[in-house]
Amino acid sequence: RLVLRAGEHGANGGMSFNGAQRGGHEVVLPVGWRVQVTLVNDDSSLPHSAIIIPASDSIPNRVTSPAFAGAASQGADEGTLVGDSTAFSFTTERPGAYWLFCAVPGHGKAGMYLRLTVSRTSRVPRYQ
């Protein structure tokens, strides 16, 4: 289980997950794990979402497809409304470097993403 608190404490103008922005924290998951993600929108004014995408050299303004089947909150482009929550689940099928990214246009580019590593060698998940 992974709980993401979008806009918590207003960090980065609300463009954060669990108070972290611009990949400042990392979630490490073993390959082959089934992950349940709960997104809670703690922002006082903006909708937010979550989607898993491959990490890249440039930060996209808009994303549409998750890296794994089911790895996105419902209505990711529009986001979850202030004070609401949503859940989704996916399986970490392939090792690699990913971002846990807000898909509301412009939010990820503004720094609303965490690093996510799917590891062949890790046996337990961790948040660092």
Side-chain angles (χ1 to χ4, degrees):
R1 298 185 139 259
L2 175 63
V3 177
L4 296 174
R5 300 195 81 81
E8 187 175 49
H9 307 300
N12 193 34
M15 302 296 168
S16 64
F17 288 118
N18 299 356
Q21 69 270 351
R22 301 189 195 295
H25 286 271
E26 178 183 27
V27 177
V28 178
L29 300 169
V31 71
W33 275 47
R34 185 80 178 155
V35 182
Q36 173 75 35
V37 179
T38 301
L39 172 69
V40 180
N41 189 352
D42 283 342
D43 196 311
S44 62
S45 61
L46 296 171
H48 295 295
S49 67
I51 187 170
I52 309 298
I53 62 171
S56 66
D57 291 335
S58 62
I59 301 167
N61 189 50
R62 180 173 220 152
V63 294
T64 57
S65 300
F68 306 107
S73 54
Q74 189 171 8
D77 280 355
E78 297 84 31
T80 300
L81 298 177
V82 171
D84 283 349
S85 64
T86 188
F88 61 94
S89 60
F90 67 98
T91 300
T92 57
E93 300 163 346
R94 294 172 306 284
Y98 302 90
W99 286 333
L100 223 163
F101 199 82
C102 182
V104 174
H107 288 201
K109 195 157 188 88
M112 193 167 184
Y113 63 93
L114 300 175
R115 291 175 291 132
L116 185 142
T117 299
V118 177
S119 170
R120 285 189 201 274
T121 59
S122 184
R123 297 291 174 237
V124 294
R126 66 184 186 276
Y127 180 78
Q128 50 195 32

